[in-house]
Amino acid sequence: MRANLKMAALLGITAGTLEFLLRTDARLGFGFFDQLLFCLLAVAANLAVALPAGILASAVQRLPYVGKRPVGLVLGSLLGLHVALHYRFQVVLNESLRSPALLAGLFGLFAGSLLFGLTLHRHVAPRIKWLVAVALFAFWGGFVRGLPTGPAQEVEGPNVLLITWDTTRPDRLSAYGGPAQTPTLDRLVAEGTRFDQAVAPAPLTEPSHLAILSGQRTTTTGVLSNGTPLGEQPRMLQRAFAERGYRSGAVVSGFPLHSRYGWSEGWDVYDDDFGAIAGLHRLSLVKLIDEIVLPANTLRERRGTIAVDRALTFLSRHEKGRWFLWVHFFDPHAPYEARPITDAPTDGEPLALPGYWPPPHKAITDADYLTAAYDAELEHTDALTGELIAWLEVHGLLDDTLIVMTADHGESLTEHGVLFDHGDDLFDPSLRVPLILRGPGVPAGTTQPCQLSTIDIAPTLEHLVPLIAVERDGQSFQPWLSGAPCEDRPVLSSTIGARFVEEPPVDLSLRQPESKYIRKGQERGEALYDLVSDPGETRDISAQVPEVVDAASEAMDAVLDGQPIQAREQAMDAETLQALQALGYMGD
């Protein structure tokens, strides 16, 4: 048995280093110790298969065919694991784990791999010591392949830190006069410029972030909902910064921004590894365990504490050159877990919370309690943002860094009958967002009252850095920062009226400073709200002033300028559907 275990250990180590070689990626931005731990985990996962196979080989030593081929049995077991799981996660991801077709396929592939490994025994066994060289080469190759880029050359212009908070409405932040204490944002406002009427182009994570980074409306990109592959992408900021000579990095924390949709293109580092241990959930065996134990078969988000650690790794590596870093915090998104719910009121009728909220939260009966819990999430995220600001200050980079803080969308906290959710309507609670700038070219202690869209961020950065400007839907507000009087801009926003259907209806809104016009797709109706007398958007006055509705409709058509409104096809695989459902981005 000892000889079989030694042989199995060697095969397991070799398989682990090969998996490390294949699964590591420079875009993940893993540091040396992250890479080393990733390799050790890959080896451990493969040893978890190889060693039991070695023990089994010893147990069946007397069998006429299998027992005389211990190398082949272990080799076949390792091969079967990776082939079968590749088939599961790359070929038939749509199939349920209980599907007879899936189970038959997995069994056939595993059995075939075992037979193939047993057949290879006579070729591999005499050369078993060669695997040491293979393992060493794979170990070295993995480190080379996963080695992230170093700092950029010194170029003109400031560093740029883009911070986006998920699901954040400004009226809850102390920086905007709200109850949640956000001293980091208070400081950014005192030392920079606050925009009081920033409006998101969509109440969903993926389309809104694409609009921020591209300066294009959702109706231009066709990305109107989460789970949409980006396909042919608009020219996003990371490419503009690369042309300027900057290093670019992104640390994202929510499934809608996962690289599977094409988000990693053009970035030097795109860290969407949501595990607490870097790389762990990229391994075949761990993917299998995830499918069994995780609610949506995959990690859907990560805590901001991990995101900060990964962001600081990027900053430490690139502090001597120029960089553009985007850090996305998912923490404010429901369910709100910044504080324990052991003291939550549960007497009376439970709130009708969205289906994706966990059972303990669904027992809560007080909406005010959950609103306070949402504020706690904002305070927690402010503290995380403060860690990034503190690092820049300690390293002498703060005053040479242009900081942009905003959000992808807001959150309804019971308005319009929507309890602690977003995405399905175009009312202000889901569309109003904070926007704060601090750094070179930004006046301190000022506010801008005029309405604008977050699609205006990209063209503004092109002027402030400066970058090579291209045509975008958004308009730079840099002149406002230089003292020019601001002017309100109409903001077009969109969402889809039904999710994950072949031709989803597209709902549009055009927000003017004093009114909002909403047009529902597939002729489902229209509405008009007077934001002066009815800021809560509670009274549809479209039937009372048809001439105003006609004028608003014409204004929307003028903004669209004949552009066809069509949503890109969403990814419909089972993992995407379940993960987005678990985050509340589709119906139960």
Side-chain angles (χ1 to χ4, degrees), residues 1 43 59 73 89 109 129 156 194 197 203 211 232 241 246 259 268 280 299 320 338 366-367 381 476-477 536:
M1 178 180 287
V43 169
L73 180 61
F89 291 110
L109 287 170
K129 294 182 180 180
E156 293 290 332
R194 183 187 75 193
Q197 297 291 332
E232 184 179 349
F241 277 102
Y246 283 58
S259 57
D268 292 312
L280 177 63
L299 294 176
K320 296 187 183 299
D366 186 358
T381 308
S476 172
F477 50 78

Side-chain angles (χ1 to χ4, degrees), residues 48 63 65 89 169 378 426 448 478 561:
L63 294 179
Y65 186 72
F89 291 110
R169 47 190 287 171
L378 299 178
L426 295 168
Q448 292 288 349
Q478 185 274 334
D561 194 23

